[in-house]
Amino acid sequence: QQQVKQSPQSLIVQKGGISIINCAYENTAFDYFPWYQQFPGKGPALLIAIRPDVSEKKEGRFTISFNKSAKQFSLHIMDSQPGDSATYFCAASIGSGTYKYIFGTGTRLKVLA
Amino acid sequence: NAGVTQTPKFRVLKTGQSMTLLCAQDMNHEYMYWYRQDPGMGLRLIHYSVGEGTTAKGEVPDGYNVSRLKKQNFLLGLESAAPSQTSVYFCASSSLRTGNYGYTFGSGTRLTVV
């Protein structure tokens, strides 16, 4: 029940296309859902995050869509660029005061020029 | 630049050796975490700390110990390294004061146990 399942494992998209990465969770106590971006040799960096009281959040070309009833959330990267090529992790946490994250297994995105 | 600094960046250990990974943050964050990253498994929480002098176990704590004697430092120790501990280790910190519950990660320590 503590798992966060992420798909696909890898994704190849043409420049200018839309990249979509999906995550699903079981624990309804999760109340914070961030996405992290990681470039090779670097630590993950917070990209965008959402709380379950909203269905969508947009920041620039990045959008999180959240479906509370289905217990799913997804990251959409519009107008994907080669510089977006990275590994993306979804995560979920319970606001119990510690904000421990459960991470998905990651999606390696490659955007072709 | 402010952030999370991890040392060392790379290390090769022989089975049975011990070592300590150091994490330092200069953002006055209350919370600190140690994760390990393995191919196909994402990031898994080893230990975490909610404040100076406090530590707690995460998802995969066996074989590791931690200490947080100072607010800015979080140490991860391997008493007797095993090949199964070959991984990339990330330290992270966070603070509720910012209203942003995201983590700031270090750049990682790549550990190989032979």
Side-chain angles (χ1 to χ4, degrees):
Chain A
Q1 208 181 24
Q2 286 291 86
Q3 279 188 317
V4 176
K5 295 182 179 180
Q6 184 172 347
S7 63
Q9 187 174 357
S10 63
L11 182 62
I12 299 175
V13 174
Q14 293 288 337
K15 179 181 176 181
I18 302 174
S19 303
I20 301 175
I21 304 170
N22 301 299
C23 284
Y25 63 97
E26 290 293 327
N27 190 342
T28 56
F30 287 144
D31 62 359
Y32 183 69
F33 302 89
W35 285 89
Y36 282 80
Q37 179 187 55
Q38 184 181 28
F39 293 105
K42 303 293 186 182
L46 180 64
L47 188 62
I48 187 172
I50 197 168
R51 289 197 174 277
D53 53 348
V54 297
S55 60
E56 185 176 281
K57 183 173 182 180
K58 185 176 181 179
E59 291 185 2
R61 296 184 293 109
F62 300 91
T63 299
I64 298 179
S65 296
F66 188 84
N67 186 329
K68 189 174 181 178
S69 60
K71 291 184 284 186
Q72 295 175 347
F73 59 110
S74 60
L75 175 69
H76 296 237
I77 306 174
M78 312 300 288
D79 187 25
S80 298
Q81 298 296 312
D84 297 330
S85 297
T87 299
Y88 293 82
F89 293 94
C90 64
S93 73
I94 302 173
S96 61
T98 60
Y99 287 93
K100 297 178 293 180
Y101 288 160
I102 304 296
F103 283 88
T105 52
T107 296
R108 182 172 292 185
L109 171 66
K110 183 167 185 175
V111 181
L112 301 177
Chain B
N1 290 335
V4 177
T5 302
Q6 291 183 235
T7 54
K9 295 190 183 303
F10 304 93
R11 185 73 185 268
V12 178
L13 282 181
K14 293 183 179 179
T15 298
Q17 286 185 319
S18 63
M19 78 163 293
T20 300
L21 282 67
L22 172 63
C23 176
Q25 54 97 1
D26 58 4
M27 298 170 287
N28 201 30
H29 284 176
E30 306 93 77
Y31 302 155
M32 297 187 75
Y33 314 83
W34 276 106
Y35 282 85
R36 60 177 289 174
Q37 184 175 31
D38 302 290
M41 302 189 74
L43 294 117
R44 293 181 292 167
L45 182 64
I46 304 171
H47 286 281
Y48 65 98
S49 169
V50 300
E52 182 178 322
T54 70
T55 63
K57 293 180 181 180
E59 181 185 357
V60 289
D62 293 343
Y64 305 95
N65 57 75
V66 288
S67 65
R68 192 163 177 206
L69 300 180
K70 294 183 179 181
K71 186 177 184 180
Q72 64 268 33
N73 295 336
F74 195 28
L75 306 180
L76 177 70
L78 286 73
E79 290 186 348
S80 180
S84 61
Q85 294 178 304
T86 293
S87 186
V88 181
Y89 292 85
F90 286 100
C91 176
S93 69
S94 67
S95 173
L96 296 183
R97 291 179 287 107
T98 63
N100 171 359
Y101 308 127
Y103 289 179
T104 299
F105 279 91
S107 57
T109 295
R110 184 174 294 274
L111 175 66
T112 302
V113 183
V114 298

